[in-house]
Amino acid sequence: MNDRPTLFPVAEFHGRVEGLQRRLAQAGQDALLLTSAADIFYVTGFLTRFWESPARPWFLLVPAKGAPVAVIPAIGRDLMERTWITDIRMWDAPDPRDDGISLLADAISEHVPPDGLLGVPMGLETSLRMPLADYHRLLDRIAPRRPADATDIIQRVREVKSEAEVDRIRLTCAIASEAFDAVPAIVNRAPTLDAVFRGFQSALLDAGADWVSYTAGAAGAGGYGDVISPAGPQPLSPGDVLMLDTGAVRDGYFCDFDRNFSIGPVADETRQAHDALHAATDRLIDDLRPGMLACDAHRQLCAALELRGMRPGGGRLGHGLGVTLTEWPSFTDHDQTPLVAGMVLTIEPSVVLSSGRILVHEENVVLRPDGPELLSPRAPGEMVEIPL
Amino acid sequence: MNDRPTLFPVAEFHGRVEGLQRRLAQAGQDALLLTSAADIFYVTGFLTRFWESPARPWFLLVPAKGAPVAVIPAIGRDLMERTWITDIRMWDAPDPRDDGISLLADAISEHVPPDGLLGVPMGLETSLRMPLADYHRLLDRIAPRRPADATDIIQRVREVKSEAEVDRIRLTCAIASEAFDAVPAIVNRAPTLDAVFRGFQSALLDAGADWVSYTAGAAGAGGYGDVISPAGPQPLSPGDVLMLDTGAVRDGYFCDFDRNFSIGPVADETRQAHDALHAATDRLIDDLRPGMLACDAHRQLCAALELRGMRPGGGRLGHGLGVTLTEWPSFTDHDQTPLVAGMVLTIEPSVVLSSGRILVHEENVVLRPDGPELLSPRAPGEMVEIPL
């Protein structure tokens, strides 16, 4: 009734399920239980902001053979029926007496033999979006079937994006880029950090974002500190660097890149740091290849920054991106995940300035067999100056 | 560095912790482990949109005696240090070798005796926001200490709002009300559902929302069906009822109410249904009292609608509200939660029309000893008509 076209042809979803089923078979698991918004959207196309309400769990079972089974609150009926999923089982949630557990246990029992394994994502970057007590109740109900870690199964499939997914992320990046172009006007209209955050979110919506799941940023003299706080009414002043970072969403796909702006002329140290970040990013765009490890990308970014006399920032310097704001792998010194063609990645070097403040630069790319292709329109080599 | 004032005086947080500690002692639990954005914000004031990234877990331990311990990724240092929490332990996350588990196990071991209980929310409307495998690793590390269900401990405290919290929610409601006033102009500017969704989100930001975590709505002839789908490019037409519903956020507190608009003149059946919804809501605002159960509110709403010949909608007809879009209890026919003074609640009756479509009406109230006080400015008795 709302005329929203299906996001992808059914073949796209079939391909995703085949990937999962191949890996389930290899791992000797009989079905995969998914509970998160991202995983369920990925397999079904079921897209809603209703996940914001913690009241109800949602379940998707992907058997090693056969069609997926959605076990969901009845409020999701219309939307799930418009996806390609046909086996949809529902209950009136929330129901403290049995919040879908019997229905789910029955579906599992149909697809997993008594001595079989139920795959559940349990590793890094996953969490089980259902009450823990209900999970234990479920395990009791399906015994002697046992749970097994399925993190690799979902992550190895999700991390390789199809061309249709790359197109979606490229579109979200273009939307964010248009909003970044509006920032000087937004700052001039009301030069306080909270007003800029609001104006930037509106600009993202104006440019075509469906919603804005994430906006971060900061401003400070020459650089900034904390980049995860909400904005306060701090006035912007000449000499400040303003950074804005966004995870806007279009059709369920995120972008995640930032831009730095100088309020008034750029200070020398800031310019040098920005040059180094820009050059290190260019260098990695030239050099990144499938077969390298996530930690290799980290090492190359650090080396490029140090070559210019800069101190690289702590934490990760890039990560995956797609149906969530951040995905694995992480560009850290210890992440051994092999990079493969089709991964969409952020390249996110940061440097620590003499003041202890930082500058962060970020682009989004898809890794091709011969190297990265930019999805975010490349940031200008010189930081954009906003006269105040 | 961003000059955002602390949301509440420290005494507010002390009161919250005392409430949790009193209940921990009553339950014989030695500490409470919190992992969700809402629970950690509630106890500490730590507010960030960084939770959108699934990469990192965050932990807060509230011992039955003494000060809470934050065990968090180092990227949260500045922000957590600006809260009232002083015992902050950090690691460089994400770290696949040990993602905070050793640090957390140590903190638990300090506060929970070997034969003691670690409270973990496990019940309805909760989920454990950390990898399940890490939770099992944690339990191994802290054995013989055992986990126990702490759902009641956190929910019975969070559900009773302080006056400071009520003020926050009232402010968010006022922001949303201002945005609802802008809807006729938004519709006239671009009368398609997706453009209206975008314009409404911008209006919420313009009115002072920090961000818009939830927007839902629908439009259809005389009423609507599915209310959880994203908006498509469907044009609005005379005879349509347009419903918009929002969970906007200001200072971490949500509103959750909707408004219905008629595109052109209101059809008779729609008018009667809207009248009935409005009257049923008035009636419950008159009659609701502490000591009633959640299911009593459901029964009264249904009775008031049926008295006017209407068929009440399925699902719940109201729920709690606060630091998440929806909180317990649920106005269903089986929720036995006692209503208490200080609860902030949505009153959300719906009716099914002869077409099978529905109309939903929603207000936000705080329950006082002598009945509800409105937090959302009351919807007009007549549906607002938008000429097209």
Coordinates of all heavy atoms in Angstrom, one line a residue, chain B residues 268-345:
Chain B
D268 N -17.1 10.2 6.3 CA -17.9 10.0 7.5 C -17.4 8.9 8.4 O -17.3 9.1 9.6 CB -19.4 9.7 7.1 CG -20.1 11.0 6.6 OD1 -19.6 12.1 6.9 OD2 -21.2 10.8 6.0
E269 N -17.1 7.7 7.8 CA -16.7 6.6 8.7 C -15.4 7.0 9.4 O -15.2 6.6 10.5 CB -16.5 5.4 7.8 CG -16.3 4.1 8.7 CD -15.8 2.9 8.0 OE1 -15.5 3.0 6.8 OE2 -15.6 1.9 8.6
T270 N -14.5 7.7 8.7 CA -13.2 8.1 9.2 C -13.5 9.0 10.4 O -12.8 8.9 11.4 CB -12.4 8.7 8.1 OG1 -12.2 7.8 7.1 CG2 -11.0 9.1 8.7
R271 N -14.4 10.0 10.2 CA -14.7 11.0 11.2 C -15.2 10.3 12.5 O -14.8 10.6 13.6 CB -15.7 12.0 10.7 CG -16.0 13.1 11.7 CD -17.1 14.0 11.3 NE -17.0 14.5 9.9 CZ -16.2 15.5 9.5 NH1 -15.6 16.2 10.4 NH2 -16.2 15.9 8.3
Q272 N -16.1 9.3 12.2 CA -16.7 8.6 13.4 C -15.6 7.8 14.2 O -15.6 7.8 15.4 CB -17.8 7.7 12.9 CG -19.1 8.4 12.6 CD -20.0 7.6 11.6 OE1 -19.9 6.4 11.6 NE2 -20.9 8.3 10.9
A273 N -14.7 7.2 13.4 CA -13.7 6.4 14.0 C -12.7 7.3 14.8 O -12.3 7.0 15.9 CB -12.9 5.6 13.0
H274 N -12.4 8.5 14.2 CA -11.5 9.4 14.9 C -12.2 10.0 16.1 O -11.5 10.1 17.2 CB -11.1 10.6 13.9 CG -10.1 11.5 14.5 ND1 -10.3 12.6 15.1 CD2 -8.7 11.3 14.5 CE1 -9.2 13.2 15.5 NE2 -8.2 12.4 15.2
D275 N -13.5 10.3 16.1 CA -14.2 10.7 17.2 C -14.1 9.7 18.4 O -13.9 10.0 19.5 CB -15.7 10.9 16.9 CG -15.9 12.2 16.1 OD1 -15.0 13.0 15.9 OD2 -17.1 12.4 15.6
A276 N -14.3 8.4 18.0 CA -14.3 7.3 19.0 C -12.9 7.2 19.6 O -12.8 7.0 20.8 CB -14.7 6.0 18.3
L277 N -11.9 7.3 18.8 CA -10.5 7.2 19.3 C -10.3 8.3 20.3 O -9.7 8.2 21.4 CB -9.5 7.2 18.2 CG -9.5 6.0 17.3 CD1 -8.7 6.3 16.0 CD2 -8.9 4.8 18.0
H278 N -10.7 9.5 19.9 CA -10.5 10.7 20.7 C -11.2 10.6 22.0 O -10.7 10.8 23.1 CB -10.9 12.0 20.0 CG -10.2 13.2 20.4 ND1 -10.7 14.0 21.4 CD2 -9.1 13.8 19.9 CE1 -9.9 15.0 21.6 NE2 -8.9 14.9 20.7
A279 N -12.5 10.1 22.0 CA -13.3 10.0 23.2 C -12.7 8.9 24.1 O -12.7 9.0 25.3 CB -14.7 9.6 22.8
A280 N -12.3 7.8 23.5 CA -11.7 6.7 24.3 C -10.5 7.1 25.0 O -10.2 6.8 26.2 CB -11.4 5.5 23.4
T281 N -9.7 8.0 24.3 CA -8.5 8.5 25.0 C -8.8 9.4 26.1 O -8.2 9.3 27.2 CB -7.6 9.2 23.9 OG1 -7.3 8.3 22.8 CG2 -6.3 9.7 24.5
D282 N -9.8 10.3 25.9 CA -10.2 11.2 26.9 C -10.7 10.4 28.1 O -10.4 10.8 29.3 CB -11.4 12.1 26.4 CG -11.0 13.3 25.6 OD1 -9.8 13.6 25.7 OD2 -11.8 13.9 24.9
R283 N -11.4 9.4 27.9 CA -12.0 8.6 28.9 C -10.9 7.9 29.8 O -10.9 8.0 31.0 CB -12.9 7.5 28.3 CG -13.6 6.6 29.3 CD -14.6 7.4 30.1 NE -15.0 6.5 31.2 CZ -16.0 5.7 31.2 NH1 -16.8 5.5 30.1 NH2 -16.3 4.9 32.2
L284 N -9.9 7.4 29.1 CA -8.8 6.8 29.9 C -8.0 7.8 30.6 O -7.5 7.6 31.7 CB -7.9 5.9 28.9 CG -6.9 5.0 29.7 CD1 -7.7 4.0 30.5 CD2 -6.0 4.3 28.8
I285 N -7.8 9.0 30.0 CA -7.1 10.1 30.7 C -7.9 10.4 32.0 O -7.3 10.8 33.0 CB -6.9 11.3 29.8 CG1 -5.9 11.0 28.7 CG2 -6.4 12.5 30.6 CD1 -5.8 12.1 27.6
D286 N -9.2 10.4 32.0 CA -10.0 10.6 33.2 C -9.9 9.5 34.2 O -9.9 9.7 35.4 CB -11.5 10.7 32.8 CG -11.8 12.0 32.1 OD1 -11.0 13.0 32.3 OD2 -12.9 12.1 31.5
D287 N -9.8 8.2 33.7 CA -10.0 7.1 34.6 C -8.7 6.4 35.1 O -8.8 5.7 36.0 CB -10.9 6.0 33.9 CG -12.3 6.6 33.7 OD1 -12.6 7.6 34.3 OD2 -13.1 5.9 33.0
L288 N -7.6 6.6 34.3 CA -6.4 5.8 34.7 C -5.9 6.2 36.0 O -5.8 7.4 36.4 CB -5.4 6.0 33.6 CG -4.3 4.9 33.5 CD1 -4.9 3.6 33.0 CD2 -3.2 5.4 32.5
R289 N -5.6 5.2 36.9 CA -5.0 5.5 38.2 C -3.9 4.5 38.5 O -4.0 3.3 38.1 CB -6.2 5.3 39.2 CG -7.3 6.3 39.2 CD -6.8 7.7 39.7 NE -7.9 8.7 39.7 CZ -8.4 9.3 38.6 NH1 -7.8 9.0 37.4 NH2 -9.3 10.1 38.6
P290 N -3.0 4.9 39.4 CA -2.0 3.9 39.9 C -2.8 2.8 40.6 O -3.9 3.1 41.2 CB -1.3 4.8 41.0 CG -1.4 6.2 40.5 CD -2.8 6.3 39.9
G291 N -2.3 1.6 40.6 CA -3.0 0.5 41.2 C -3.8 -0.4 40.2 O -4.0 -1.6 40.4
M292 N -4.2 0.3 39.1 CA -4.8 -0.5 38.0 C -3.6 -1.3 37.3 O -2.4 -1.0 37.5 CB -5.4 0.4 36.9 CG -6.7 1.1 37.4 SD -7.3 2.5 36.4 CE -7.5 1.6 34.8
L293 N -4.0 -2.3 36.6 CA -3.0 -3.1 35.8 C -3.0 -2.7 34.4 O -3.9 -2.0 33.9 CB -3.4 -4.6 35.9 CG -3.6 -5.2 37.3 CD1 -3.9 -6.7 37.2 CD2 -2.4 -5.0 38.2
A294 N -1.9 -3.0 33.7 CA -1.8 -2.6 32.3 C -3.0 -3.2 31.5 O -3.6 -2.5 30.6 CB -0.5 -3.1 31.7
C295 N -3.4 -4.4 31.8 CA -4.6 -5.0 31.1 C -5.9 -4.3 31.4 O -6.8 -4.3 30.6 CB -4.7 -6.5 31.4 SG -4.8 -6.9 33.2
D296 N -6.0 -3.6 32.5 CA -7.2 -2.8 32.8 C -7.3 -1.6 31.8 O -8.4 -1.3 31.4 CB -7.2 -2.2 34.2 CG -7.2 -3.3 35.3 OD1 -7.8 -4.4 35.0 OD2 -6.7 -3.1 36.4
A297 N -6.1 -1.0 31.5 CA -6.2 0.1 30.6 C -6.6 -0.4 29.2 O -7.4 0.2 28.5 CB -4.8 0.7 30.5
H298 N -6.1 -1.6 28.8 CA -6.5 -2.2 27.5 C -8.0 -2.4 27.5 O -8.7 -2.1 26.5 CB -5.8 -3.5 27.3 CG -6.0 -4.2 26.0 ND1 -7.0 -5.2 25.9 CD2 -5.5 -4.0 24.8 CE1 -7.0 -5.6 24.6 NE2 -6.1 -4.9 23.9
R299 N -8.5 -3.0 28.6 CA -10.0 -3.3 28.7 C -10.8 -2.0 28.6 O -11.8 -2.0 27.8 CB -10.3 -4.1 30.0 CG -11.7 -4.7 30.0 CD -11.8 -5.6 31.2 NE -10.9 -5.3 32.4 CZ -11.2 -4.3 33.2 NH1 -12.2 -3.6 33.1 NH2 -10.3 -4.1 34.2
Q300 N -10.4 -1.0 29.3 CA -11.2 0.3 29.2 C -11.2 0.9 27.8 O -12.2 1.4 27.4 CB -10.6 1.2 30.3 CG -10.9 0.7 31.7 CD -10.9 1.9 32.7 OE1 -11.0 3.1 32.3 NE2 -11.0 1.6 34.0
L301 N -10.0 0.9 27.2 CA -10.0 1.4 25.8 C -10.9 0.6 24.9 O -11.6 1.2 24.1 CB -8.5 1.4 25.3 CG -7.6 2.5 25.9 CD1 -6.1 2.2 25.4 CD2 -8.0 3.9 25.4
C302 N -10.8 -0.7 25.0 CA -11.6 -1.5 24.1 C -13.1 -1.2 24.4 O -13.9 -1.1 23.5 CB -11.3 -3.0 24.3 SG -9.7 -3.4 23.6
A303 N -13.5 -1.2 25.7 CA -14.9 -1.0 26.0 C -15.4 0.4 25.5 O -16.5 0.5 24.9 CB -15.0 -1.0 27.5
A304 N -14.5 1.4 25.6 CA -15.0 2.8 25.2 C -15.1 2.8 23.6 O -16.0 3.4 23.1 CB -13.9 3.8 25.6
L305 N -14.3 2.0 22.9 CA -14.4 2.0 21.5 C -15.7 1.2 21.1 O -16.4 1.6 20.2 CB -13.2 1.4 20.8 CG -11.9 2.2 21.0 CD1 -10.7 1.4 20.5 CD2 -12.0 3.5 20.2
E306 N -15.9 0.1 21.7 CA -17.0 -0.8 21.4 C -18.3 -0.1 21.7 O -19.3 -0.3 21.0 CB -16.9 -2.1 22.1 CG -15.8 -3.0 21.5 CD -15.3 -4.1 22.4 OE1 -15.6 -4.2 23.6 OE2 -14.4 -4.9 21.9
L307 N -18.3 0.7 22.8 CA -19.5 1.5 23.1 C -20.0 2.3 21.9 O -21.1 2.6 21.7 CB -19.2 2.4 24.3 CG -20.3 3.0 25.1 CD1 -21.1 1.9 25.8 CD2 -19.8 4.0 26.1
R308 N -19.0 2.8 21.1 CA -19.3 3.6 20.0 C -19.4 2.8 18.7 O -19.3 3.3 17.6 CB -18.3 4.7 19.8 CG -18.4 5.8 20.8 CD -17.3 6.8 20.8 NE -17.6 8.0 21.6 CZ -17.9 9.2 21.1 NH1 -18.0 9.4 19.8 NH2 -18.2 10.2 21.9
G309 N -19.5 1.5 18.9 CA -19.7 0.6 17.7 C -18.4 0.3 16.9 O -18.5 -0.1 15.7
M310 N -17.3 0.6 17.5 CA -16.0 0.4 16.8 C -15.4 -0.9 17.2 O -15.5 -1.4 18.3 CB -15.0 1.5 17.2 CG -15.5 2.9 16.7 SD -15.5 3.1 14.9 CE -16.8 4.4 14.8
R311 N -14.6 -1.4 16.2 CA -13.8 -2.7 16.5 C -12.4 -2.3 16.8 O -11.6 -1.7 16.0 CB -13.8 -3.5 15.2 CG -13.1 -4.8 15.4 CD -13.2 -5.7 14.1 NE -12.0 -6.4 13.9 CZ -11.5 -6.7 12.7 NH1 -12.2 -6.4 11.6 NH2 -10.4 -7.4 12.5
P312 N -12.0 -2.5 18.1 CA -10.6 -2.1 18.5 C -9.6 -2.9 17.7 O -9.8 -4.0 17.3 CB -10.5 -2.6 20.0 CG -11.9 -2.7 20.4 CD -12.7 -3.2 19.2
G313 N -8.4 -2.2 17.4 CA -7.3 -2.9 16.7 C -6.7 -3.9 17.6 O -6.8 -3.9 18.8
G314 N -5.9 -4.8 16.9 CA -5.2 -5.9 17.7 C -3.9 -5.3 18.2 O -3.6 -4.1 18.1
G315 N -3.1 -6.1 18.8 CA -1.8 -5.6 19.4 C -2.0 -4.8 20.6 O -3.1 -4.6 21.1
R316 N -1.0 -4.1 21.0 CA -1.1 -3.4 22.3 C -1.6 -2.0 22.0 O -1.4 -1.4 20.9 CB 0.2 -3.3 23.0 CG 1.4 -2.7 22.3 CD 2.7 -2.9 23.2 NE 3.8 -2.3 22.6 CZ 5.0 -2.2 23.2 NH1 5.2 -2.6 24.4 NH2 6.0 -1.6 22.5
L317 N -2.3 -1.4 23.0 CA -3.0 -0.1 22.8 C -2.3 0.9 23.7 O -3.0 1.9 24.1 CB -4.5 -0.2 23.1 CG -5.2 -1.3 22.3 CD1 -6.7 -1.3 22.6 CD2 -5.1 -1.0 20.8
G318 N -1.0 0.8 24.0 CA -0.3 1.7 24.8 C 0.9 1.0 25.4 O 0.9 -0.2 25.4
H319 N 1.8 1.8 25.9 CA 3.0 1.2 26.5 C 3.8 2.3 27.2 O 3.5 3.5 27.1 CB 3.9 0.5 25.4 CG 4.2 1.5 24.2 ND1 5.2 2.4 24.3 CD2 3.6 1.6 23.0 CE1 5.2 3.1 23.1 NE2 4.3 2.6 22.3
G320 N 4.9 1.9 27.9 CA 5.8 2.8 28.5 C 6.7 3.5 27.5 O 6.7 3.2 26.3
L321 N 7.4 4.5 28.0 CA 8.1 5.4 27.2 C 9.2 6.1 28.0 O 8.9 6.4 29.2 CB 7.1 6.5 26.6 CG 7.7 7.7 25.9 CD1 8.4 7.4 24.6 CD2 6.6 8.8 25.7
G322 N 10.3 6.4 27.5 CA 11.3 7.1 28.3 C 12.7 7.2 27.5 O 12.8 8.0 26.6
V323 N 13.7 6.4 28.0 CA 15.0 6.5 27.4 C 15.0 5.5 26.2 O 16.0 5.4 25.5 CB 16.1 6.2 28.4 CG1 16.2 7.3 29.4 CG2 16.0 4.9 29.1
T324 N 13.9 4.8 26.0 CA 13.8 4.1 24.7 C 12.4 4.5 24.1 O 11.5 4.9 24.9 CB 13.9 2.6 24.8 OG1 13.1 2.1 25.9 CG2 15.3 2.2 25.0
L325 N 12.2 4.2 22.8 CA 11.0 4.6 22.1 C 9.8 3.9 22.8 O 8.7 4.5 22.9 CB 11.1 4.1 20.7 CG 9.9 4.2 19.8 CD1 9.5 5.7 19.6 CD2 10.1 3.5 18.5
T326 N 10.0 2.6 23.1 CA 8.9 1.9 23.8 C 9.5 1.2 25.1 O 10.7 0.8 25.0 CB 8.2 0.8 23.0 OG1 9.1 -0.3 22.8 CG2 7.8 1.4 21.6
E327 N 8.8 1.3 26.2 CA 9.2 0.5 27.3 C 8.0 -0.3 27.8 O 6.9 -0.1 27.3 CB 9.6 1.5 28.5 CG 10.8 2.4 28.0 CD 11.4 3.3 29.1 OE1 10.8 3.4 30.2 OE2 12.4 4.0 28.9
W328 N 8.2 -1.2 28.7 CA 7.1 -1.9 29.3 C 6.3 -0.9 30.2 O 6.8 0.1 30.4 CB 7.7 -3.0 30.3 CG 8.6 -2.3 31.2 CD1 8.3 -1.8 32.5 CD2 10.0 -1.9 31.0 NE1 9.4 -1.1 33.0 CE2 10.4 -1.1 32.1 CE3 10.9 -2.0 29.9 CZ2 11.7 -0.5 32.2 CZ3 12.1 -1.4 30.0 CH2 12.5 -0.7 31.2
P329 N 5.1 -1.2 30.6 CA 4.3 -2.3 30.3 C 3.6 -2.2 29.0 O 3.8 -1.2 28.3 CB 3.3 -2.3 31.5 CG 3.1 -0.9 31.8 CD 4.4 -0.2 31.5
S330 N 2.8 -3.2 28.6 CA 2.0 -3.1 27.4 C 0.6 -3.1 27.7 O 0.1 -4.0 28.5 CB 2.4 -4.3 26.5 OG 3.7 -4.3 26.1
F331 N -0.2 -2.3 27.1 CA -1.7 -2.3 27.3 C -2.2 -3.4 26.4 O -2.6 -3.2 25.2 CB -2.3 -1.0 26.9 CG -2.0 0.1 27.9 CD1 -2.4 1.4 27.6 CD2 -1.3 -0.1 29.1 CE1 -2.1 2.5 28.5 CE2 -1.0 1.0 30.0 CZ -1.4 2.3 29.7
T332 N -2.1 -4.7 26.9 CA -2.7 -5.8 26.2 C -3.7 -6.5 27.1 O -3.8 -6.1 28.3 CB -1.6 -6.8 25.8 OG1 -1.0 -7.3 27.0 CG2 -0.6 -6.2 24.9
D333 N -4.4 -7.5 26.7 CA -5.4 -8.1 27.6 C -4.7 -9.1 28.6 O -5.4 -9.7 29.4 CB -6.5 -8.8 26.8 CG -5.9 -9.9 25.9 OD1 -4.7 -10.3 26.0 OD2 -6.7 -10.5 25.0
H334 N -3.4 -9.2 28.5 CA -2.8 -10.2 29.5 C -1.6 -9.6 30.2 O -0.9 -10.4 31.0 CB -2.4 -11.5 28.7 CG -1.6 -11.2 27.5 ND1 -0.3 -10.6 27.5 CD2 -1.9 -11.3 26.1 CE1 0.1 -10.5 26.3 NE2 -0.8 -10.8 25.4
D335 N -1.3 -8.3 30.1 CA -0.2 -7.8 30.8 C -0.6 -7.3 32.2 O -1.4 -6.4 32.4 CB 0.5 -6.6 30.1 CG 1.8 -6.1 30.7 OD1 1.9 -6.1 31.9 OD2 2.7 -5.8 29.9
Q336 N -0.1 -8.0 33.2 CA -0.5 -7.8 34.6 C 0.3 -6.8 35.4 O 0.2 -6.7 36.6 CB -0.5 -9.2 35.4 CG -1.2 -10.3 34.7 CD -2.7 -10.3 35.0 OE1 -3.1 -9.9 36.0 NE2 -3.5 -10.7 34.0
T337 N 1.2 -6.1 34.7 CA 2.0 -5.1 35.4 C 1.2 -4.0 36.1 O 0.3 -3.4 35.4 CB 3.0 -4.4 34.4 OG1 3.6 -5.4 33.6 CG2 4.0 -3.5 35.1
P338 N 1.4 -3.8 37.4 CA 0.7 -2.8 38.1 C 1.2 -1.4 37.6 O 2.4 -1.2 37.4 CB 1.1 -3.0 39.6 CG 1.7 -4.3 39.6 CD 2.3 -4.6 38.3
L339 N 0.2 -0.5 37.4 CA 0.6 0.9 37.0 C 0.9 1.6 38.3 O 0.2 1.5 39.3 CB -0.5 1.5 36.2 CG -1.0 0.7 35.0 CD1 -2.0 1.5 34.2 CD2 0.2 0.4 34.1
V340 N 2.0 2.4 38.2 CA 2.4 3.2 39.4 C 2.6 4.6 39.0 O 2.9 5.0 37.9 CB 3.7 2.6 40.1 CG1 3.4 1.2 40.6 CG2 4.8 2.6 39.1
A341 N 2.4 5.5 40.0 CA 2.6 6.9 39.8 C 4.1 7.2 39.3 O 5.0 6.5 39.9 CB 2.4 7.7 41.1
G342 N 4.2 8.0 38.4 CA 5.6 8.3 37.8 C 5.8 7.6 36.5 O 6.8 7.9 35.8
M343 N 5.0 6.7 36.2 CA 5.2 6.0 34.8 C 4.8 7.0 33.7 O 3.8 7.7 33.8 CB 4.2 4.8 34.7 CG 4.7 3.5 35.3 SD 3.6 2.2 35.0 CE 4.6 0.8 35.5
V344 N 5.6 7.0 32.7 CA 5.3 7.7 31.5 C 4.8 6.7 30.5 O 5.4 5.7 30.3 CB 6.4 8.6 30.9 CG1 6.1 9.1 29.6 CG2 6.8 9.7 31.9
L345 N 3.6 7.0 29.9 CA 2.9 6.0 29.2 C 2.3 6.6 27.9 O 2.0 7.8 27.8 CB 1.7 5.4 30.0 CG 2.0 4.7 31.3 CD1 0.9 4.7 32.2 CD2 2.6 3.3 31.0

